[in-house]
């Protein structure tokens, strides 16, 4: 939209848009959001103006729409000046509470057959000019992506991950290489045992956003990986089991990680929602669920709701299964997609690590 006219009022700047709509922006809001170089650092984009330490004179001398710079300029009685871009005014024309970013539910899949465009690309394509953008879009749409024909080295895998962002540190370190023959494994992932569908990091307050896995060496039978779209199950439960959906959206389920010198614990609902009721995170790990007790009736209802989700996520018909071979790098959205693994016999070596959620969202905003 473009601005048709502006008018100074006692309660703020009245902006009339070319579609006939009007919006009043309070004078304090205008000062606080000034984008002039003095008020907003041109490089860091950090606010420099302080509207709280002293009461400012909001008497207005003049308001001007500068069409060349696409800004509205306000000159105050104290001889200072504020400028706010038309694009910022337009983006704030409708008031709303700041909301956490919802998961993209436009391409949920209840089974592998529902994935419209299979999220796979070659390592060469990923390393091309637009490769990272396509990789990000695959994860945004389907919750995961496979990169084939990758060099079977940990160095190349780390380079692939760092093209998106730095590798996150965790209780297991940063980027790492491991196999299923450790003497004292810290986690079932480092064994040959089967692992049920789950998300990682239910015992930390900020669960990893993305997880990457690459099989470097394989002399084994079994060990297939399964992926499940947790967002699709969330929306199914919202529609078919609304009371259970509400329970799993409101009860903070504790997750824990216990070792000799470590005791991590965090609590959040299985379905974390924003203020608009949209799902922003699916968090489920039955292996790491810590003890808790509600009153008997509420506990019974929780078990009923949890059982529904547990059985849906373990339904083989809902799972996409793949055998990770050397050269296949799998990355998935740990806030949306649950992952699992069948048991295996023999030897297998993997590498990989995590990315932070905010780094994934940052890259998506810049596409």
């Amino acid at each position: 939209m473009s601005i048709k006219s502006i008018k100074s009022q006692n309660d703020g700047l009245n902006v009339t848009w070319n579609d006939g709509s009007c919006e009043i922006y309070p004078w304090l809001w205008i000062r606080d959001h000034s984008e002039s170089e003095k008020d907003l650092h041109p490089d860091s984009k950090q606010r420099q103006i302080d509207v709280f330490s002293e009461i400012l004179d909001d008497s207005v001398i003049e308001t001007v729409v500068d069409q060349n710079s696409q800004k509205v300029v306000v000159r105050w009685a104290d001889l200072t000046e504020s400028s706010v871009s038309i694009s910022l005014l337009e983006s704030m024309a409708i008031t709303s509470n700041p909301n956490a970013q919802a998961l993209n539910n436009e391409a949920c899949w209840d089974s592998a057959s529902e994935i419209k465009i299979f999220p796979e690309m070659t390592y060469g394509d990923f390393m091309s000019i637009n490769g990272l953008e396509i990789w990000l879009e695959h994860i945004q749409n389907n919750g995961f992506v496979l990169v084939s024909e990758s060099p079977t080295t940990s160095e190349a895998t780390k380079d692939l991950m760092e093209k998106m962002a730095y590798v996150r540190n965790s209780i297991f370190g940063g980027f790492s290489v491991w196999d299923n023959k450790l003497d004292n494994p810290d986690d079932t992932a480092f064994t040959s045992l089967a692992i049920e569908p789950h998300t990682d990091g239910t015992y930390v307050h900020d669960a990893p956003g993305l997880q990457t896995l690459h099989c470097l060496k394989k002399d084994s039978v079994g060990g297939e990986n399964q992926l499940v779209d947790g967002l699709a199950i969330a929306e199914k439960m919202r529609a078919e089991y609304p009371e259970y959906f509400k329970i799993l959206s409101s009860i903070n389920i504790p997750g824990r990680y216990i070792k000799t010198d470590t005791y991590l614990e965090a609590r959040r609902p299985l379905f974390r929602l924003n203020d608009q009721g949209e799902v922003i995170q699916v968090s489920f790990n039955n292996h790491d669920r810590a003890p808790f007790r509600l009153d008997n009736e509420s506990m019974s209802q929780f078990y009923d709701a949890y059982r529904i989700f547990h059985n849906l996520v373990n339904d083989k018909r809902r799972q996409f299964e793949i055998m990770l071979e050397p050269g296949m790098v799998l990355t998935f959205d740990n806030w949306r997609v649950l992952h699992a693994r069948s048991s295996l016999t023999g030897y297998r070596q993997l590498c990989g690590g995590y990315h932070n959620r905010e780094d994934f969202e940052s890259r998506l905003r810049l596409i």
Side-chain angles (χ1 to χ4, degrees), residues 48-145:
Q48 304 299 307
I49 189 169
D50 172 11
V51 300
F52 305 107
S53 295
E54 57 184 273
I55 297 176
L56 301 173
D57 184 355
D58 286 337
S59 301
V60 177
I61 296 177
E62 182 183 26
T63 58
V64 178
V65 178
D66 187 335
Q67 296 293 354
N68 292 327
S69 63
Q70 286 291 287
K71 293 180 179 180
V72 172
V73 179
V74 177
R75 298 185 176 94
W76 308 97
D78 61 8
L79 304 182
T80 61
E81 183 176 288
S82 298
S83 66
V84 182
S85 64
I86 295 174
S87 61
L88 178 61
L89 292 172
E90 181 183 1
S91 69
M92 298 289 160
I94 299 176
T95 60
S96 63
N97 288 329
N99 238 324
Q101 182 171 313
L103 296 174
N104 178 25
N105 62 6
E106 295 178 1
C108 291
W109 45 276
D110 287 309
S111 65
S113 62
E114 293 186 3
I115 301 175
K116 296 176 182 178
I117 300 177
F118 190 75
E120 184 174 20
M121 59 195 305
T122 66
Y123 182 83
D125 288 338
F126 175 78
M127 288 298 180
S128 66
I129 294 176
N130 297 320
L132 178 60
E133 179 178 331
I134 297 170
W135 185 88
L136 290 164
E137 288 175 344
H138 278 316
I139 299 175
Q140 171 77 339
N141 292 332
N142 296 295
F144 72 98
V145 63

Side-chain angles (χ1 to χ4, degrees), residues 130-286:
N130 297 320
L132 178 60
E133 179 178 331
I134 297 170
W135 185 88
L136 290 164
E137 288 175 344
H138 278 316
I139 299 175
Q140 171 77 339
N141 292 332
N142 296 295
F144 72 98
V145 63
L146 277 167
V147 177
S148 60
E149 302 176 19
S150 300
T152 55
T153 66
S154 58
E155 293 80 9
T157 310
K158 187 179 180 183
D159 288 344
L160 183 154
M161 292 185 68
E162 289 180 338
K163 188 171 182 182
M164 204 291 283
Y166 65 92
V167 179
R168 165 180 171 148
N169 266 313
S170 73
I171 192 69
F172 305 111
F175 181 87
S176 56
V177 180
W178 69 93
D179 60 27
N180 59 327
K181 299 298 181 182
L182 296 176
D183 292 333
N184 297 295
D186 286 341
D187 193 90
T188 312
F190 306 138
T191 71
S192 299
L193 300 173
I195 309 173
E196 286 189 349
H198 65 285
T199 60
D200 279 16
T202 56
Y203 44 77
V204 295
H205 296 300
D206 177 23
L210 302 182
Q211 182 172 3
T212 294
L213 297 171
H214 184 195
C215 178
L216 297 176
K217 298 177 183 179
K218 178 175 173 287
D219 183 16
S220 58
V221 177
E224 295 87 354
N225 285 90
Q226 296 86 30
L227 301 177
V228 188
D229 191 345
L231 179 59
I233 297 178
E235 296 305 332
K236 178 182 178 65
M237 291 191 67
R238 188 203 297 270
E240 299 180 15
Y241 308 95
E243 288 305 310
Y244 290 159
F245 178 86
K246 184 177 179 181
I247 288 170
L248 296 180
S249 303
S250 58
I251 294 177
N252 288 314
I253 303 171
R256 69 180 182 184
Y257 175 92
I258 302 175
K259 292 294 175 283
T260 303
D261 57 352
T262 305
Y263 192 146
L264 303 180
E265 184 169 314
R267 306 176 183 199
R268 58 178 161 270
L270 199 157
F271 302 136
R272 195 155 68 92
L273 311 179
N274 62 17
D275 293 341
Q276 295 177 333
E278 300 167 316
V279 179
I280 62 175
Q281 183 182 7
V282 178
S283 180
F284 175 85
N285 193 324
N286 196 46

